[in-house]
Amino acid sequence: MADWDYRPEEEQKEEKEKKYVTRKEFRICFVVLLAAIAFATFSINDSIRQMQNHVSNQVYQAEDHIGNIINSIPRNIEQGIEDANNPIRESSMEIIDVDAKAKTATIRMTAAPKEYVEGMTMKFLVSCDGAEAMEVPAMAGSDRTFTAETEVPFCGVASATVHMRKGNTEMISRMPDVYIETAVLPVFNGRWSGSIGWQVSQDFVTFDGEIFVDVMKPEWSMMKDKGASFKLKNEKLEVYVDGKLHKTLPAIAYSWDEYAREYRTDVTGDNKIELEEFKEIEFIFKAEDSNGLKYSYLAEKGTWTQKDGYDSNAYWQMSEEDKLTIE
């Protein structure tokens, strides 16, 4: 006998819709669950990758640290042997005075022997930039430290060795170097800021902008009187084309503090410079300090061709020492 549903038609329809909605919700939940599982899987994999990277970095740092220790062992052993064989307990060499007009610096050298013996003598052999060494006798003070002073010309590096004699035995030890010019001379830094333009119809380029030159006060002057004694005058910028003076322009001081001064030279308007193809241009900053030293600093250098454009590689390959001339 068939089962008949005697409920009203609207009630039966409502029940069917409820069943349909339930299935739809199930599908939505299933999709959401799959997405959650996928996200969780991705997060776990990402965490595993991060842990692997962290472990790899830790291993790399550990290997690098161990490698540095191993590599430093021979140096440390060598340094230890050298220190053990060094008859000098401590030594120093420093600048104590500067005569800028004579272009000389006075350096003081001190050396304290590990073991002092009555009658022992000491002397220093001083050399500038590898030139022939000067012999400077040293005297022992009440603290049994030997001291000597001598004048050296302005040079790149002043080096010295201390020679200690006990009876018929002479022992030699190297002193720390002193960089004279770095300490007593100003430091220059030049740069170009602007545009270099040309047109196909012309065989020259036009420089339009500014030349900047920063002058750092000498280290010695800063230590002596905070740089108050160092001043420049007659500042100018000379422009050379193929080694011949083309134009002279004023170098104007803009900013000034206890460490440095910035100079600018305007190369715009009537000061524009036209450089023909294949010709070399040089911008040289010139000035004189209060002691009469004259400085010539190459601030920019280059050539121009329509094929390669403006090329200043030769300037950048020069050392700072090559860019500066002192008279």
Side-chain angles (χ1 to χ4, degrees):
M1 183 177 180
D3 293 331
W4 297 96
D5 192 343
Y6 296 100
R7 291 176 299 172
E9 184 178 347
E10 292 181 358
E11 186 176 342
Q12 296 179 39
K13 183 177 180 181
E14 183 178 350
E15 183 177 353
K16 290 181 181 179
E17 288 178 351
K18 285 183 179 179
K19 291 180 180 179
Y20 174 77
V21 171
T22 301
R23 288 196 298 270
K24 182 178 180 181
E25 290 176 346
F26 173 77
R27 290 170 183 166
I28 293 174
C29 290
F30 184 73
V31 172
V32 171
L33 178 61
L34 289 179
I37 293 173
F39 178 76
T41 303
F42 175 80
S43 299
I44 292 172
N45 290 335
D46 186 59
S47 298
I48 292 173
R49 283 194 297 270
Q50 291 181 5
M51 292 177 63
Q52 289 176 335
N53 291 335
H54 178 71
V55 172
S56 298
N57 289 335
Q58 292 293 325
V59 172
Y60 173 79
Q61 291 177 9
E63 290 178 345
D64 186 59
H65 179 64
I66 294 172
N68 290 335
I69 293 175
I70 294 174
N71 292 332
S72 67
I73 289 175
R75 293 194 298 270
N76 292 338
I77 293 175
E78 183 179 347
Q79 185 63 45
I81 295 174
E82 183 179 339
D83 291 341
N85 293 331
N86 191 345
I88 303 301
R89 174 168 48 86
E90 59 182 9
S91 62
S92 65
M93 185 161 63
E94 61 180 344
I95 300 171
I96 61 171
D97 196 15
V98 173
D99 187 340
K101 292 183 179 180
K103 297 182 184 179
T104 60
T106 301
I107 58 175
R108 175 183 293 149
M109 298 159 288
T110 60
K114 287 181 178 178
E115 182 182 1
Y116 180 83
V117 178
E118 290 294 337
M120 71 186 309
T121 60
M122 191 177 292
K123 65 181 179 181
F124 298 97
L125 293 182
V126 185
S127 175
C128 281
D129 291 337
E132 184 178 354
M134 303 176 289
E135 183 176 314
V136 186
M139 299 293 294
S142 58
D143 59 352
R144 296 180 177 180
T145 297
F146 287 80
T147 304
E149 297 178 3
T150 188
E151 277 190 355
V152 296
F154 285 178
C155 60
V157 181
S159 56
T161 52
V162 54
H163 297 248
M164 186 175 68
R165 180 174 290 277
K166 293 191 296 185
N168 295 325
T169 303
E170 183 180 64
M171 291 167 283
I172 303 174
S173 178
R174 182 173 177 80
M175 301 278 288
D177 293 335
V178 173
Y179 297 87
I180 304 295
E181 289 183 346
T182 300
V184 303
L185 296 177
V187 177
F188 295 80
N189 180 42
R191 61 196 183 279
W192 158 264
S193 178
S195 61
I196 302 173
W198 66 281
Q199 298 177 358
V200 178
S201 60
Q202 66 189 32
D203 59 354
F204 62 85
V205 291
T206 301
F207 285 81
D208 190 345
E210 289 181 299
I211 294 289
F212 294 82
V213 176
D214 297 324
V215 183
M216 300 290 294
K217 294 180 180 181
E219 181 182 312
W220 164 255
S221 175
M222 293 299 300
M223 294 174 58
K224 181 182 176 183
D225 54 18
K226 295 186 178 181
S229 61
F230 180 79
K231 300 183 185 301
L232 289 180
K233 59 182 180 180
N234 301 328
E235 304 96 325
K236 60 185 176 181
L237 188 81
E238 294 183 346
V239 183
Y240 289 81
V241 177
D242 283 352
K244 296 180 180 180
L245 181 61
H246 173 72
K247 184 179 292 189
T248 300
L249 301 171
I252 308 300
Y254 273 74
S255 62
W256 179 251
D257 57 29
E258 60 178 323
Y259 302 105
R261 171 170 283 186
E262 179 189 75
Y263 291 89
R264 301 181 187 179
T265 299
D266 178 31
V267 191
T268 62
D270 294 337
N271 293 335
K272 283 184 180 179
I273 298 172
E274 295 179 351
L275 178 66
E276 296 180 3
E277 191 173 12
F278 300 113
K279 291 186 178 294
E280 182 182 70
I281 190 168
E282 295 176 316
F283 296 90
I284 299 179
F285 173 83
K286 291 189 174 184
E288 181 180 348
D289 68 16
S290 53
N291 294 307
L293 291 183
K294 297 180 180 180
Y295 304 95
S296 296
Y297 176 75
L298 179 60
E300 172 75 10
K301 173 184 178 181
T303 56
W304 171 80
T305 65
Q306 292 192 29
K307 177 182 177 182
D308 301 321
Y310 181 70
D311 182 13
S312 60
N313 287 335
Y315 167 79
W316 291 109
Q317 291 172 359
M318 296 177 65
S319 67
E320 291 304 316
E321 290 78 10
D322 291 335
K323 296 176 184 177
L324 180 63
T325 302
I326 305 171
E327 300 177 5

